[in-house]
Amino acid sequence: ACILGAVAVAVIGLAAKRVTASRHAGLIAAGIAACYPNLWMNDLNLQAESIFILTIAVVIERSYAFWHESSRKNAVLLGLAIALSALARAEGLLFFALVLIPLAVRLKERSWREKATCVLLAGVAGGALMAPWVGYNLSRFANPVYLSVGSG
């Protein structure tokens, strides 16, 4: 968990660098993240927060990558990042609706068909990444469980 927290600090720095296009901003953000107790205090509890923080940072970084270069490849990478966050905590699925779709809709100089293709590719990639876990959960519980049932 401590390694995940350290990687999260580095990815937060990379995300800040991508957002601002400034290496200094990335270093400052990584420094603040390293000192922020809410980022590392859950590492001791071995809960999902450590990996969720990392995956949120990856989603942010990939979101800005998709915003700056709206290629199909970046759409797929964003979909995979969102799926990883959903595997860490089920509410990560909300990023599909709250991040991916608004980003795709606001793409400039892209046809609606291309925007829909980006969303579809990201969704398929994310779904393919989550499918083994969802299938495993559906096979082992009496009642349907897709990603998680929360606590308990």
Side-chain angles (χ1 to χ4, degrees):
C2 293
I3 291 170
L4 291 173
V7 173
V9 167
V11 175
I12 288 168
L14 290 173
K17 181 181 174 186
R18 180 163 313 264
V19 170
T20 63
S22 166
R23 191 184 100 208
H24 298 296
L27 292 172
I28 291 168
I32 291 170
C35 296
Y36 185 59
N38 285 330
L39 284 180
W40 49 261
M41 70 183 187
N42 287 315
D43 291 348
L44 299 172
N45 297 331
L46 297 175
Q47 294 181 338
E49 281 74 11
S50 298
I51 194 163
F52 194 50
I53 290 168
L54 171 59
T55 59
I56 288 172
V58 172
V59 167
I60 291 169
E61 193 277 331
R62 288 288 86 208
S63 297
Y64 276 94
F66 180 59
W67 179 258
H68 292 301
E69 184 187 335
S70 57
S71 66
R72 291 179 178 186
K73 174 187 164 194
N74 280 335
V76 167
L77 291 174
L78 177 56
L80 292 172
I82 292 171
L84 283 174
S85 73
L87 287 171
R89 291 185 58 110
E91 59 263 36
L93 280 175
L94 291 171
F95 290 135
F96 279 111
L98 299 176
V99 175
L100 175 65
I101 293 173
L103 276 176
V105 167
R106 293 187 50 116
L107 291 177
K108 292 181 169 72
E109 301 176 9
R110 298 280 188 205
S111 68
W112 281 101
R113 183 182 186 113
E114 183 62 24
K115 293 175 184 182
T117 300
C118 285
V119 170
L120 183 65
L121 287 172
V124 168
L129 183 63
M130 291 185 293
W133 182 251
V134 172
Y136 178 64
N137 279 346
L138 289 174
S139 71
R140 68 182 180 149
F141 293 110
N143 296 323
V145 173
Y146 300 100
L147 290 174
S148 132
V149 293
S151 60

